[in-house]
Amino acid sequence: MREWHSPASRPRCQFLYPPRIIAIMPSNVIEESRRIPALSEFGVSPALLQMAAGQFPHPALASCSSGPPYYLYHGAEAPDGPQVLPLWDIGDQVIAIRAQASDLEYICFSIEAPDEVEQLATTEQGFWATQFDFMYELDMEIETLHAIAQTVGYRFLRMQLDSRVAMEDQLDSSHRHGQWLSALVASIDATKTT
């Protein structure tokens, strides 16, 4: 067996340790270190900033998020187009914001089909409408929804709940839910409140 007396006389190995796999972030995703400052620059509310940072302004909001975004910073693809600013993940879905020509766009897409983007809203209040609909579907107590709305500054909960009851009173309401929610969000977005 040969002895090695100096580092220069040792055989060269390409790897001393197993190679690390480095995930490449999509080019249109805002860097993770710039994510929270960019959200702040977009003017999102303190409550949305907290959620994006993985902190819940109300404990029941944990049902809306799996925590800070992971997928887009670890190899998942983003939809083509404008820069994507991930808010958080939920299951295999990414909830994000992207800047369009004149507005922000709150979006959702699956990491399995990133180019199948669902536009949720164009204002933060419209976005909160979608989140409150999700929590309502989880059978969250109405008092809890009101407490969350107060905490995050959502101003349309009473209107949303009244509209929801009216929609549910109609026959075949299960097939109308998506249309109802789209119309509700559009009416909230039309007010152009943050």
Side-chain angles (χ1 to χ4, degrees), residues 21-134:
I21 297 172
I22 299 173
I24 298 176
M25 183 179 74
S27 63
N28 65 333
V29 174
I30 292 177
E31 293 175 25
E32 193 168 13
S33 64
R34 288 266 319 122
R35 193 172 68 81
I36 298 297
L39 283 169
S40 211
E41 290 168 16
F42 280 160
V44 302
S45 70
L48 197 59
L49 278 173
Q50 275 186 282
M51 293 247 338
Q55 304 162 350
F56 302 111
H58 188 285
L61 285 168
S63 64
C64 296
S65 168
S66 301
Y70 176 84
Y71 297 125
L72 290 182
Y73 296 116
H74 293 89
E77 291 184 26
D80 291 333
Q83 277 198 312
V84 174
L85 181 53
L87 292 170
W88 55 78
D89 297 335
I90 182 158
D92 69 349
Q93 304 285 311
V94 176
I95 307 296
I97 295 176
R98 63 181 177 186
Q100 296 291 21
S102 60
D103 282 324
L104 295 181
E105 180 183 36
Y106 291 80
I107 61 171
C108 176
F109 60 91
S110 167
I111 60 169
E112 302 297 328
D115 286 322
E116 294 177 16
V117 177
E118 177 185 359
Q119 180 183 357
L120 300 174
T122 59
T123 65
E124 186 174 328
Q125 289 291 304
F127 171 72
W128 281 119
T130 66
Q131 302 306 289
F132 277 87
D133 182 66
F134 179 75

Side-chain angles (χ1 to χ4, degrees), residues 127-172:
F127 171 72
W128 281 119
T130 66
Q131 302 306 289
F132 277 87
D133 182 66
F134 179 75
M135 290 183 283
Y136 182 91
E137 290 286 322
L138 294 175
D139 292 326
M140 208 169 274
E141 295 290 327
I142 299 299
E143 296 80 27
T144 303
L145 293 174
H146 281 287
I148 298 168
Q150 185 174 1
T151 301
V152 302
Y154 178 54
R155 298 184 301 274
F156 296 94
L157 182 60
R158 175 57 34 216
M159 178 186 83
Q160 182 170 352
L161 293 174
D162 291 345
S163 175
R164 174 78 187 233
V165 168
M167 184 269 301
E168 287 177 342
D169 286 344
Q170 297 175 4
L171 294 175
D172 203 24

